[in-house]
């Protein structure tokens, strides 16, 4: 369907870019609130520095950051470039998934997967943590999509081999390194993230 006509292709790519940018902004906000122990579902978006509630004109992905020259229009403090980078990267990834998988359930699954990877990355960048709730959500999402598979048992086995294989190997390397050097080489959240990635990719 995506490649029916050039007009339809451009139209859906544009929608993917817009949706991706909006999701990038939302996921970055979610990650920031979790890291700073703020309720995710309560309260309006606000400036990270002065705490002023943001208006509609301040929340347009990418555009607001460029228009205000990367500064809060209430206190004038320069904002982190992570905000606009998160929105731009998310927009590109959404468009890439759409181009790869067309308009399909597989595209939906990988869009959710991309969102999970992004929110984990944002949380890790902001507070050097990867909350377990994101990993658990990823595993549940992957399990939910088994119902549409032709051979769910084979795919589940492949997923487990991918998850356990890569995460287990990495864990072994980390443990050996820590034993030799006597310092922490990698956090447990990273191992769990690799496991979830292996579950999705097999």
């Amino acid at each position: 369907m995506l490649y029916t006509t050039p007009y339809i292709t451009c139209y859906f790519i544009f929608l993917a870019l817009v949706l991706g940018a909006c999701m990038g902004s939302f996921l970055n906000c979610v990650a920031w609130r979790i890291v700073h122990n703020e309720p995710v579902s309560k309260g309006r978006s606000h400036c990270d520095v002065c705490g002023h509630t943001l208006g509609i004109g301040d929340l347009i992905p990418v555009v607001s950051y460029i228009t205000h020259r990367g500064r809060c229009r209430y206190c004038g403090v320069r904002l982190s470039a992570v905000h606009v980078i998160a929105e731009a990267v998310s927009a590109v990834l959404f468009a890439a998934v759409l181009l790869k998988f067309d308009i399909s359930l597989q595209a939906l699954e990988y869009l959710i997967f991309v969102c999970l990877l992004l929110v984990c990355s944002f949380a890790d960048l902001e507070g050097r943590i990867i909350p377990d709730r994101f990993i658990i959500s990823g595993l549940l999402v992957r399990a939910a999509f088994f119902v549409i598979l032709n051979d769910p048992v084979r795919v589940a086995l492949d997923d487990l081999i991918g998850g356990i294989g890569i995460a287990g190997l990495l864990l072994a390397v980390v443990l050996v390194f820590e034993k030799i050097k006597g310092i922490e080489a990698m956090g447990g959240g990273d191992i769990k993230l690799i496991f979830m990635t292996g579950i999705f990719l097999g």
Side-chain angles (χ1 to χ4, degrees):
M1 179 179 178
L2 180 64
Y3 300 102
T4 304
T5 67
Y7 171 78
I8 290 178
T9 302
C10 292
Y11 174 72
F12 279 108
I13 289 176
F14 173 75
L15 289 181
L17 289 170
V18 172
L19 178 61
C22 291
M23 283 302 298
S25 178
F26 171 72
L27 295 172
N28 190 42
C29 177
V30 168
W32 192 92
R33 289 192 177 197
I34 288 176
V35 169
H36 294 276
N37 295 314
E38 288 191 13
V40 174
S41 59
K42 295 182 180 180
R44 294 175 57 186
S45 297
H46 56 79
C47 172
D48 298 346
V49 181
C50 68
H52 194 288
T53 300
L54 302 180
I56 296 177
D58 306 315
L59 299 173
I60 304 174
V62 181
V63 175
S64 293
Y65 188 91
I66 295 175
T67 302
H68 300 146
R69 300 179 181 179
R71 296 181 180 275
C72 171
R73 70 187 180 99
Y74 303 103
C75 66
V77 173
R78 179 168 293 280
L79 303 174
S80 172
V82 171
H83 297 298
V84 69
I85 293 173
E87 294 163 357
V89 169
S90 181
V92 171
L93 289 176
F94 267 55
V97 169
L98 180 65
L99 288 171
K100 173 67 176 177
F101 298 106
D102 206 328
I103 301 173
S104 62
L105 285 175
Q106 190 173 20
L108 175 61
E109 179 183 9
Y110 277 92
L111 286 176
I112 296 173
F113 178 49
V114 164
C115 287
L116 289 166
L117 292 180
L118 286 171
V119 74
C120 286
S121 299
F122 300 155
D124 201 13
L125 286 171
E126 180 65 31
R128 299 179 64 84
I129 62 171
I130 299 178
D132 288 339
R133 69 184 73 179
F134 298 147
I135 306 301
I136 295 172
S137 296
L139 298 178
L140 291 176
V141 167
R142 181 57 181 158
F145 275 89
F146 281 163
V147 298
I148 63 174
L149 300 174
N150 294 326
D151 191 357
V153 176
R154 181 190 62 79
V155 175
L157 180 61
D158 184 70
D159 288 354
L160 286 174
I161 292 174
I164 296 174
I166 188 171
L169 178 61
L170 184 60
L171 177 60
V173 171
V174 168
L175 291 176
V176 171
F177 183 86
E178 290 181 347
K179 185 70 174 179
I180 295 174
K181 294 293 185 177
I183 58 175
E184 184 178 4
M186 182 178 288
D190 297 301
I191 303 295
K192 297 172 187 175
L193 179 60
I194 291 295
F195 174 74
M196 183 192 75
T197 303
I199 290 293
F200 266 91
L201 302 181

